[in-house]
Amino acid sequence: LIDHLLRRRVILTLGKGGVGRTSVASAISLLAARRGLRTLLMETDPRRPVADSYGHRPGLEPVALEQPHLWSLFLGGKESLEDYLRMAVPGPLLRKVFASSLYQRFVNAAPALRELTMMGKIYHEIERRPKTKLPWDLIVVDAPASGQALGMLRMPFVAHRLFGSGLVASEAAEVAGFFRNPTKCAIILVATSELLAISEALEIHDELQKLHLATSAVFFNRMSNGMFDASDIDRMIAAISRSSRLKHLEQIAEIARADLRRRIKERRALAMVQRRISAPLAIAHEQLDCSRRKLAAALATEFAAGPESLGGDC
Ligand SMILES: Nc1ncnc2c1ncn2[C@@H]1O[C@H](COP(=O)(O)OP(=O)(O)OP(=O)(O)O)[C@@H](O)[C@H]1O
Ligand SMILES: [Mg+2]
């Protein structure tokens, strides 16, 4: 699965807030960089969590992270729009435009325009990068949470319909066509086994289908490591009944039971998604006590390990 995904030019991670979109995007971009692909991670989160974990705070220009072949930039709506205007409007005039309160009010009131230029920025970086700069092999976009991400993905299609013909319409059609092309763009849904995370992933999938955008994979994050099975619990209970000095085992047995209940819940969640989405599923296990960089490294190693590890024991 991961080899297949890394052959695309753009990968986007979508999902409910807090499920691990950033962690999965960060791990995939790290894995791509480890394999020697010139990789750009675009962060839409103003906190820029990944760049921040490397001690950087990029703007719209890519900065090299302390990892060969890996760069990062901030994909902000307002910033992307200004970047676009910078290309289109002469310098001195532009400064006046940006400084005017009319422009500020206009930008704040026009989320659609910001979203359209964000999509345009991704497309331009991968398909129309100036010849003077080295091209990217892969762009990974850590998209905003569900609703906002869908708004962003929808914009080129809306703009194409709205403008009918002319420059904006043909630009929008090209951008839309790129994201609809499954050989170029992969959309990954990230979820945990929590019901809300699953239902949002299913909703996103339905909305993507309406736009004729395919879900390329579903990543189940924070899955149990499955340290215990039912026979471990039976053995602990048998040991407790044989010796009163093994009282502490009761607590461990309770932890093991909770783990088992969690894995049953996870299996149900997986089955529910499999019934509705035909895309491949991948598993990312819960990692204990690690920094953002270590987490990305651990998940990248897990994804690289291939189908055995991706299948987990669920
Ligand atoms: N597999 C994992 N194991 C352990 N911790 C994880 C795992 N995945 C994510 N986390 C932790 O969960 C938290 C949320 O993860 P992350 O920031 O990747 O989610 P997100 O979907 O990008 O959230 P947001 O909506 O805030 O952008 C972080 O603290 C992260 O370290
Ligand atoms: Mg995030």
Side-chain angles (χ1 to χ4, degrees), residues 288-299:
L288 298 176
D289 288 337
C290 51
S291 66
R292 206 165 258 290
R293 270 175 79 172
K294 280 193 182 149
L295 174 61
L299 293 182

PDB file of all heavy atoms in Angstrom, residues 288-299:
ATOM      1  N   LEU A 288       3.964   4.758  22.572  1.00  0.00           N
ATOM      2  CA  LEU A 288       3.941   5.247  23.952  1.00  0.00           C
ATOM      3  C   LEU A 288       4.948   6.371  24.172  1.00  0.00           C
ATOM      4  O   LEU A 288       6.088   6.281  23.716  1.00  0.00           O
ATOM      5  CB  LEU A 288       4.228   4.090  24.923  1.00  0.00           C
ATOM      6  CG  LEU A 288       3.184   2.969  24.879  1.00  0.00           C
ATOM      7  CD1 LEU A 288       3.586   1.824  25.772  1.00  0.00           C
ATOM      8  CD2 LEU A 288       1.798   3.474  25.241  1.00  0.00           C
ATOM      9  N   ASP A 289       4.461   7.412  24.840  1.00  0.00           N
ATOM     10  CA  ASP A 289       5.334   8.491  25.326  1.00  0.00           C
ATOM     11  C   ASP A 289       6.405   8.938  24.357  1.00  0.00           C
ATOM     12  O   ASP A 289       7.589   8.769  24.625  1.00  0.00           O
ATOM     13  CB  ASP A 289       6.071   8.003  26.597  1.00  0.00           C
ATOM     14  CG  ASP A 289       5.105   7.921  27.742  1.00  0.00           C
ATOM     15  OD1 ASP A 289       4.099   8.614  27.680  1.00  0.00           O
ATOM     16  OD2 ASP A 289       5.381   7.139  28.677  1.00  0.00           O
ATOM     17  N   CYS A 290       6.024   9.477  23.223  1.00  0.00           N
ATOM     18  CA  CYS A 290       7.124   9.974  22.396  1.00  0.00           C
ATOM     19  C   CYS A 290       6.844  11.350  21.834  1.00  0.00           C
ATOM     20  O   CYS A 290       5.695  11.769  21.739  1.00  0.00           O
ATOM     21  CB  CYS A 290       7.547   8.978  21.326  1.00  0.00           C
ATOM     22  SG  CYS A 290       6.232   8.347  20.327  1.00  0.00           S
ATOM     23  N   SER A 291       7.919  12.044  21.496  1.00  0.00           N
ATOM     24  CA  SER A 291       7.812  13.388  20.937  1.00  0.00           C
ATOM     25  C   SER A 291       7.247  13.261  19.522  1.00  0.00           C
ATOM     26  O   SER A 291       7.193  12.174  18.960  1.00  0.00           O
ATOM     27  CB  SER A 291       9.195  14.012  20.860  1.00  0.00           C
ATOM     28  OG  SER A 291       9.974  13.290  19.932  1.00  0.00           O
ATOM     29  N   ARG A 292       6.848  14.414  18.943  1.00  0.00           N
ATOM     30  CA  ARG A 292       6.280  14.394  17.607  1.00  0.00           C
ATOM     31  C   ARG A 292       7.241  13.768  16.582  1.00  0.00           C
ATOM     32  O   ARG A 292       6.833  12.989  15.732  1.00  0.00           O
ATOM     33  CB  ARG A 292       5.918  15.823  17.189  1.00  0.00           C
ATOM     34  CG  ARG A 292       4.815  15.853  16.188  1.00  0.00           C
ATOM     35  CD  ARG A 292       4.213  17.199  16.025  1.00  0.00           C
ATOM     36  NE  ARG A 292       2.953  17.379  16.696  1.00  0.00           N
ATOM     37  CZ  ARG A 292       1.819  16.807  16.341  1.00  0.00           C
ATOM     38  NH1 ARG A 292       1.774  15.970  15.345  1.00  0.00           N
ATOM     39  NH2 ARG A 292       0.707  17.057  16.990  1.00  0.00           N
ATOM     40  N   ARG A 293       8.526  14.094  16.694  1.00  0.00           N
ATOM     41  CA  ARG A 293       9.481  13.557  15.722  1.00  0.00           C
ATOM     42  C   ARG A 293       9.665  12.055  15.887  1.00  0.00           C
ATOM     43  O   ARG A 293       9.745  11.314  14.924  1.00  0.00           O
ATOM     44  CB  ARG A 293      10.826  14.287  15.842  1.00  0.00           C
ATOM     45  CG  ARG A 293      10.861  15.497  14.939  1.00  0.00           C
ATOM     46  CD  ARG A 293      12.098  16.301  15.114  1.00  0.00           C
ATOM     47  NE  ARG A 293      13.246  15.730  14.435  1.00  0.00           N
ATOM     48  CZ  ARG A 293      14.411  16.357  14.334  1.00  0.00           C
ATOM     49  NH1 ARG A 293      14.556  17.553  14.863  1.00  0.00           N
ATOM     50  NH2 ARG A 293      15.412  15.801  13.711  1.00  0.00           N
ATOM     51  N   LYS A 294       9.717  11.628  17.151  1.00  0.00           N
ATOM     52  CA  LYS A 294       9.881  10.182  17.385  1.00  0.00           C
ATOM     53  C   LYS A 294       8.638   9.425  16.927  1.00  0.00           C
ATOM     54  O   LYS A 294       8.733   8.318  16.399  1.00  0.00           O
ATOM     55  CB  LYS A 294      10.140   9.918  18.870  1.00  0.00           C
ATOM     56  CG  LYS A 294      11.586  10.176  19.255  1.00  0.00           C
ATOM     57  CD  LYS A 294      11.854   9.597  20.623  1.00  0.00           C
ATOM     58  CE  LYS A 294      13.284   9.885  21.039  1.00  0.00           C
ATOM     59  NZ  LYS A 294      13.409  10.031  22.494  1.00  0.00           N
ATOM     60  N   LEU A 295       7.467  10.046  17.164  1.00  0.00           N
ATOM     61  CA  LEU A 295       6.215   9.414  16.746  1.00  0.00           C
ATOM     62  C   LEU A 295       6.211   9.233  15.222  1.00  0.00           C
ATOM     63  O   LEU A 295       5.902   8.143  14.715  1.00  0.00           O
ATOM     64  CB  LEU A 295       5.026  10.277  17.196  1.00  0.00           C
ATOM     65  CG  LEU A 295       3.641   9.849  16.725  1.00  0.00           C
ATOM     66  CD1 LEU A 295       3.289   8.467  17.224  1.00  0.00           C
ATOM     67  CD2 LEU A 295       2.578  10.843  17.199  1.00  0.00           C
ATOM     68  N   ALA A 296       6.576  10.302  14.500  1.00  0.00           N
ATOM     69  CA  ALA A 296       6.607  10.214  13.029  1.00  0.00           C
ATOM     70  C   ALA A 296       7.584   9.130  12.593  1.00  0.00           C
ATOM     71  O   ALA A 296       7.293   8.339  11.683  1.00  0.00           O
ATOM     72  CB  ALA A 296       6.992  11.565  12.434  1.00  0.00           C
ATOM     73  N   ALA A 297       8.739   9.066  13.267  1.00  0.00           N
ATOM     74  CA  ALA A 297       9.755   8.075  12.885  1.00  0.00           C
ATOM     75  C   ALA A 297       9.230   6.657  13.136  1.00  0.00           C
ATOM     76  O   ALA A 297       9.405   5.763  12.302  1.00  0.00           O
ATOM     77  CB  ALA A 297      11.035   8.329  13.675  1.00  0.00           C
ATOM     78  N   ALA A 298       8.555   6.475  14.287  1.00  0.00           N
ATOM     79  CA  ALA A 298       8.037   5.135  14.618  1.00  0.00           C
ATOM     80  C   ALA A 298       6.956   4.724  13.620  1.00  0.00           C
ATOM     81  O   ALA A 298       6.932   3.579  13.147  1.00  0.00           O
ATOM     82  CB  ALA A 298       7.485   5.122  16.040  1.00  0.00           C
ATOM     83  N   LEU A 299       6.062   5.670  13.287  1.00  0.00           N
ATOM     84  CA  LEU A 299       4.987   5.329  12.346  1.00  0.00           C
ATOM     85  C   LEU A 299       5.557   5.087  10.945  1.00  0.00           C
ATOM     86  O   LEU A 299       5.114   4.186  10.234  1.00  0.00           O
ATOM     87  CB  LEU A 299       3.923   6.438  12.306  1.00  0.00           C
ATOM     88  CG  LEU A 299       3.105   6.641  13.590  1.00  0.00           C
ATOM     89  CD1 LEU A 299       2.067   7.736  13.395  1.00  0.00           C
ATOM     90  CD2 LEU A 299       2.407   5.359  14.036  1.00  0.00           C
TER      91      LEU A 299
END
